[in-house]
Amino acid sequence: DAGVTQSPTHLIKTRGQQVTLRCSPKSGHDTVSWYQQALGQGPQFIFQYYEEEERQRGNFPDRFSGHQFPNYSSELNVNALLLGDSALYLCASSFSDSFEAFFGQGTRLTVV
Amino acid sequence: DAKTTQPPSMDCAEGRAANLPCNHSTISGNEYVYWYRQIHSQGPQYIIHGLKNNETNEMASLIITEDRKSSTLILPHATLRDTAVYYCIVKGGSRLTFGEGTQLTVNP
């Protein structure tokens, strides 16, 4: 089992550009959550997807959007990138409302 | 979700027990206490969770006070590989609300 895989691992974008990050959940998991982790801080919840629908959303602007595919994989899209969007973006998967969430290694996004 | 308070840092000698405290005085009756840890440059890793009773697994033990306002994560025999940021989270819904955690440093 490959666990949760995220791509790419590192990314550099220019302010104003758009970015798409990808996540493949652990085998058998149907729920995907995305988190943003700024340097020196704990991860902050962006949103969660279940059955291809956004089930819950954190306090992030509409520039952050997502999608879940029928195979449960997910994408996080960020439009009009700001310097403050530079962070580690983490994907976590779980089976429905099970207790344990598994995290990927993250995508390090740098906006210049 | 209830707010948690943890010390910013702790040290522990290798081979000794590491006891990490967490205060969650506003916890509701249906909210669970979760612990995750994050080793540098990796994604967070689930450790353990509990509601009322003490819990133990292969990684750690979780002691929750009777009034549920605080808890302690115990790593019985800390190793250098346990050096990480440990997050105490009170979870009622499906999201995890992370604070800033405790940086545990295990010293040789």
Side-chain angles (χ1 to χ4, degrees):
Chain A
D1 182 6
V4 179
T5 59
Q6 294 186 241
S7 64
T9 55
H10 294 82
L11 198 56
I12 300 175
K13 287 287 190 178
T14 302
R15 190 172 47 184
Q17 285 188 315
Q18 178 264 343
V19 68
T20 297
L21 310 182
R22 295 176 175 82
C23 173
S24 293
K26 186 175 170 66
S27 178
H29 286 185
D30 57 8
T31 301
V32 173
S33 302
W34 287 91
Y35 292 80
Q36 179 196 66
Q37 186 173 25
L39 203 60
Q41 298 183 18
Q44 300 299 306
F45 176 79
I46 303 175
F47 42 52
Q48 182 181 84
Y49 278 84
Y50 172 71
E51 292 189 342
E52 303 180 52
E53 296 285 333
E54 183 183 289
R55 180 159 71 174
Q56 203 170 8
R57 188 178 183 92
N59 188 26
F60 279 81
D62 292 344
R63 298 186 298 109
F64 290 77
S65 63
H67 189 78
Q68 186 178 34
F69 299 94
N71 67 353
Y72 305 125
S73 67
S74 177
E75 290 182 348
L76 164 66
N77 301 292
V78 187
N79 294 322
L81 284 167
L82 304 174
L83 297 180
D85 295 330
S86 295
L88 179 68
Y89 288 85
L90 294 160
C91 169
S93 76
S94 61
F95 176 68
S96 188
D97 283 330
S98 67
F99 293 108
E100 184 177 356
F102 289 80
F103 282 80
Q105 297 289 72
T107 294
R108 173 70 63 187
L109 172 65
T110 302
V111 182
V112 297
Chain B
D1 293 339
K3 180 178 171 57
T4 61
T5 304
Q6 299 178 253
S9 64
M10 293 183 64
D11 286 293
C12 176
E14 188 178 19
R16 304 299 293 269
N19 297 280
L20 291 91
C22 179
N23 287 320
H24 32 78
S25 58
T26 59
I27 191 170
S28 299
N30 62 345
E31 291 179 319
Y32 285 77
V33 179
Y34 280 72
W35 284 83
Y36 278 76
R37 73 179 183 184
Q38 188 172 24
I39 297 170
H40 184 61
S41 298
Q42 298 183 20
Q45 176 191 23
Y46 166 84
I47 302 173
I48 199 168
H49 75 277
L51 182 63
K52 294 180 182 178
N53 301 320
N54 298 337
E55 302 287 344
T56 296
N57 63 19
E58 65 278 4
M59 289 183 67
S61 294
L62 173 60
I63 309 297
I64 303 173
T65 58
E66 192 168 344
D67 63 8
R68 303 212 322 125
K69 293 184 177 182
S70 66
S71 61
T72 301
L73 179 74
I74 301 172
L75 307 179
H77 305 286
T79 71
L80 299 179
R81 289 176 296 179
D82 292 322
T83 293
V85 178
Y86 287 77
Y87 295 100
C88 170
I89 299 165
V90 172
K91 179 171 177 283
S94 53
R95 73 170 69 181
L96 294 168
T97 303
F98 290 82
E100 297 193 354
T102 296
Q103 171 66 58
L104 174 69
T105 303
V106 181
N107 301 304

